[in-house]
């Protein structure tokens, strides 16, 4: 039964109350946290993918994805303020919809976090390689810096950065608010500089035809570009540390998304207006999928003379419009700032794995803590190995789409959880209440479903395969070992941020 094996909310909350965190974050810090986690490969790299799918219509794609995210964010804010503990959507679903659904959400979050870390690693590689080639005139063989479907063999820089971030996480690196603020400043300055230089050379003719591949193309691009907004859930996990969460949480969530949306629309307009965003089609005019061998071949045939062929769309655009040094500077900014997005994604992944294995749904060995660094090193290294493998062999767009499929499922479940909990547990204190919940939550869930089905059939097929694998693991392994299933409901939750503690004996 779907609602079976619910993990009692009171048990989840009891431990958070035992260890209250210092409420130090205000609206400004939360907004910075959100922008730090959100701006990354999406805008720096996937703009080219969105252009290939939608042409100038990608502007609308950015708006659609931003609106769906904002609605989901309002639902996240309610759950996060009510259940301010580790595990995000997985924990909320466990408390509201029971174990099988929580398992699937946790399983989907693996896609959200680990695959996203792979996507950002590939994005980072594109910029750093472009920087080395253009600023230092190095001739780097494509075979070693691109995956097989992008015309290479293995993406070594992407593997390298995933390895480096894994090592930082094993030794216990956490990004301080100050480092985050510096990185946000770097990213925002780079995007502002881009807009400042690209908008004045805009040619309005580049905006027509607006939707060369129809509304289907715009929806497909929205489903991909959704990746550019992922990461705001980092704000919601800080609910417990927020001063006056009723006021500051929505400001942080909606504020960071609004600022990112504004930047994204300006940057996308700059790309379209300055160099054009016409999709590259095949020899007989057929549409080509981003990240496909056919597109890589066609790009080679036209000498990579289109933004959709670039692995570093913003730097490429700046070079095209006569600002090669500033293009390199934007490449440097991406090279400096994107690793922190990888770090946040991988950190989120290890935390989800940790909570799932502590609940007995995954092997306990995964939650082992390093004696010296006090970090969950086993799971971190395992996650790092997978992230490095994905980054080495897959194109950024495919990784982002797969990641989105998992994220969209998790977001939809959070929206549904909010609605269910309003009915099943109306009296529980809600430091933040989603406004107009009867409209916002269903529309958020429907928006996620719409974006999910706008992903390519290939991505949806991969997701289905992942879900089948997930259910098999659950029924063959987790179900019989689940702590809730065995009646063990005591909680050992520490604050949502600290490295997890060693496990207590199971029985
Ligand atoms: N939103 C993050 C990015 O675009 C994941 O890199």
């Amino acid at each position: 039964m779907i609602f079976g094996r619910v993990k009692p909310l009171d048990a989840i909350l009891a431990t958070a109350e035992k260890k209250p965190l210092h409420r130090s974050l205000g609206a400004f810090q939360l907004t910075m946290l959100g922008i730090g986690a959100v701006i990354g490969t999406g805008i720096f790299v996937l703009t080219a993918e969105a252009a290939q799918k939608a042409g100038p219509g990608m502007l609308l794609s950015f708006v659609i994805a931003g609106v769906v995210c904002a609605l989901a964010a309002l639902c996240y804010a309610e759950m996060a303020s009510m259940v301010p503990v580790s595990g995000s959507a997985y924990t909320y679903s466990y408390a509201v919809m029971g174990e099988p659904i929580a398992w699937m959400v946790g399983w989907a979050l693996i896609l959200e976090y680990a695959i996203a870390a792979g996507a950002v690693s590939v994005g980072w590689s594109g910029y750093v390689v472009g920087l080395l080639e253009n600023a230092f005139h190095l001739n780097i063989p494509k075979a070693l810096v691109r995956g097989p479907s992008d015309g290479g063999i293995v993406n070594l820089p992407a593997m390298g950065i995933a390895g480096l971030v894994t090592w930082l996480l094993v030794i216990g690196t956490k990004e301080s608010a100050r480092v985050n603020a510096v990185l946000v400043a770097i990213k925002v300055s780079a995007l502002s500089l881009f807009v400042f230089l690209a908008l004045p050379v805009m040619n309005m003719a580049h905006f027509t035809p607006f939707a060369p591949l129809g509304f289907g193309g715009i929806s497909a691009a929205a489903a991909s570009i959704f990746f550019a907004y992922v990461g705001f859930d980092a704000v919601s996990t800080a609910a417990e540390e927020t001063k006056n969460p009723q006021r500051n949480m929505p400001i942080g969530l909606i504020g960071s998304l609004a600022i990112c949306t504004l930047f994204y629309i300006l940057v996308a307009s700059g790309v379209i207006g300055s160099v054009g965003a016409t999709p590259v089609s095949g020899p007989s005019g057929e549409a080509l999928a981003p990240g496909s061998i056919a597109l890589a071949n066609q790009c080679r045939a036209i000498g990579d003379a289109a933004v959709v062929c670039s692995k570093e769309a913003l730097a490429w655009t700046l070079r095209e419009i006569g600002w090669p040094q500033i293009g390199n500077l934007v490449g440097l900014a991406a090279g400096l700032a994107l690793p922190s997005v990888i770090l946040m994604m991988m950190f989120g992944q290890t935390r989800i794995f940790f909570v799932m294995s502590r609940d007995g749904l995954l092997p306990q060995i995964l939650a082992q803590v390093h004696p010296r660094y006090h970090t969950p090193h086993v799971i971190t290294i395992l996650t790092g190995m997978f992230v490095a493998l994905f980054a080495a062999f897959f194109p950024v767009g495919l990784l982002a789409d797969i990641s989105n499929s998992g994220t969209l499922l998790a977001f939809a479940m959070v929206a549904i959880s909010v609605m269910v909990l309003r009915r099943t547990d109306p009296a529980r204190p809600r430091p933040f209440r989603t406004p107009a919940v009867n409209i916002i939550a269903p529309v958020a869930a429907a928006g996620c479903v719409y974006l999910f089905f706008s992903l390519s059939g290939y991505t949806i097929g991969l997701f289905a395969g992942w879900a089948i694998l997930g259910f098999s693991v659950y029924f063959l392994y987790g179900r019989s070992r689940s702590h809730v299933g065995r009646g063990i409901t005591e909680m050992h939750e520490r604050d949502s941020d600290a490295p997890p503690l060693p496990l207590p004996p199971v029985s």
Side-chain angles (χ1 to χ4, degrees), residues 46 52 64-65 67 157-158 197 226 239 293 364 396 436 438 444 470 477 503:
L46 294 177
Q52 178 63 14
I64 294 172
V67 168
L197 296 175
F226 174 78
I293 296 180
Q364 307 255 324
V396 59
N438 290 327
Y477 181 89
L503 275 176

Side-chain angles (χ1 to χ4, degrees), residues 37-43 120 227-230 341 345:
V38 166
I39 297 182
T41 284
I43 188 66
V120 184
F227 189 80
Y229 296 94
V230 170
V341 181
M345 291 289 162

